[in-house]
Amino acid sequence: KPLIDSFIQAVRNVPGTGKVGAIGFCWGGRYAILAAHGEVDAAYACHPSLVAVPGDFDPVSKPLSLAVGEKDSLLDKDSVGKIQDLMAKKTDVPHELRIYDDQVHGFALRSDWSSEKDKKAMDDAEKQGIEFFNKFLA
């Protein structure tokens, strides 16, 4: 995390830099969530793994978008429910959590391109992130 934080600070120091966002997949998703504690202006995490609930989510103070698969082996339904409940209490922090039907861990990057359902989930996850960043970083 110190390396990531120092990188974010270096980006902020680049002349002309406006808002800064973070996106992470799997293990990197957790670090995008951690960056939403205040280091970035908005964060998007796809199928985050190794998250601590509530520890990683209590300090979230910046807009956060999450994309999770319904069948994610690294983020079970109980944990997703706890995250939803915790974030719902943060009425001052814009957030969203979208659950993708029948999708497994890694779906946003590694799904079956020959499956229309999987391809749609990948495309929708991409669109989710773009729309979220357009709203909070533009």
Side-chain angles (χ1 to χ4, degrees):
K1 187 168 181 325
L3 288 173
I4 295 167
D5 291 346
S6 67
F7 175 78
I8 293 168
Q9 190 56 48
V11 169
R12 286 201 181 279
N13 289 331
V14 172
T17 299
K19 294 180 180 178
V20 175
I23 183 170
F25 300 86
C26 185
W27 178 82
R30 177 173 187 248
Y31 286 88
I33 295 164
L34 297 179
H37 293 181
E39 289 76 21
V40 296
D41 299 293
Y44 178 44
C46 293
H47 39 78
S49 65
L50 305 174
V51 296
V53 181
D56 290 347
F57 294 89
D58 276 337
V60 169
S61 61
K62 298 296 181 179
L64 176 64
S65 179
L66 301 164
V68 300
E70 178 187 36
K71 297 179 179 179
D72 193 322
S73 60
L74 299 177
L75 192 61
D76 61 65
K77 289 181 183 182
D78 183 52
S79 295
V80 171
K82 289 177 183 176
I83 294 166
Q84 287 174 312
D85 292 345
L86 196 152
M87 293 305 295
K89 294 176 185 173
K90 294 181 164 288
T91 57
D92 58 331
V93 178
H95 61 275
E96 63 183 9
L97 189 156
R98 183 165 175 195
I99 300 169
Y100 288 82
D101 293 338
D102 294 323
Q103 295 304 305
V104 298
H105 184 75
F107 79 92
L109 296 173
R110 301 181 301 167
S111 283
D112 181 358
W113 286 83
S114 67
S115 163
E116 285 302 316
K117 186 173 191 173
D118 289 357
K119 181 153 180 3
K120 181 174 180 354
M122 287 188 284
D123 290 344
D124 287 350
E126 177 184 6
K127 183 178 176 184
Q128 177 184 340
I130 291 168
E131 289 176 353
F132 193 78
F133 283 148
N134 280 340
K135 184 174 183 178
F136 292 103
L137 298 180

